[in-house]
Amino acid sequence: QVQLVESGGGLVQAGGSLRLSCAASGSFFSINAMGWYRQAPGMQRELVATITSAGSTNYADSVKGRFTISRDNAKNRVYLQMNSLKPEDTAVYYCNADIRKFSVSPLRNYWGQGTQVTVSS
């Protein structure tokens, strides 16, 4: 069973920093793109940042210059360094990954259970 498990959320004051981590566990052949999404109360889930297996990154305009996504392919982990946090960054943050279970399998998209990030003003 492939799982994505996030950690690192919490409560922080505006202007502070947090680092989220997500680990992929279970048996699988490879991981393609990984990313972070977030969902605030009453809002749709939105993309925060993505990173390919080669390290190419993409960010939402709202987090550019403040957040940095990175990954450790050897550890099957993806990270999100969040600096200069704002109250509007408050949301549940979800890890996402495209994983190939066997060499001949199609890619399948997986989600983590989410971790709460709360930024107080």
Side-chain angles (χ1 to χ4, degrees), residues 6 10 27 47-48 52:
E6 301 102 335
S27 177
L47 179 146
V48 176
T52 68

Side-chain angles (χ1 to χ4, degrees), residues 1 7 12 18 20 25-26 29 33 35 39-40 43 63 72 78 83 87 90-91 93 100 105 113-114:
Q1 181 78 5
S7 61
V12 65
L18 281 175
L20 304 183
S25 64
F29 178 74
Q39 188 167 20
M43 304 292 286
V63 306
D72 184 331
V78 64
N83 298 328
T90 295
Y93 284 70
R100 197 181 305 277
S105 302
Q113 82 287 353

Side-chain angles (χ1 to χ4, degrees), residues 62-111:
S62 59
V63 306
K64 282 181 181 176
R66 300 188 298 122
F67 291 10
T68 303
I69 189 171
S70 61
R71 64 190 284 173
D72 184 331
N73 291 331
K75 295 182 178 179
N76 298 319
R77 285 181 174 266
V78 64
Y79 306 96
L80 186 68
Q81 178 66 44
M82 305 185 293
N83 298 328
S84 302
L85 282 160
K86 304 175 181 180
E88 50 263 44
D89 294 318
T90 295
V92 178
Y93 284 70
Y94 295 91
C95 177
N96 179 269
D98 290 327
I99 296 176
R100 197 181 305 277
K101 192 161 176 61
F102 302 103
S103 62
V104 295
S105 302
L107 286 171
R108 179 180 166 184
N109 191 252
Y110 291 84
W111 291 94

Side-chain angles (χ1 to χ4, degrees), residues 9-30:
L11 173 64
V12 65
Q13 287 188 332
S17 299
L18 281 175
R19 188 190 193 214
L20 304 183
S21 177
C22 171
S25 64
S27 177
F28 49 86
F29 178 74
S30 65

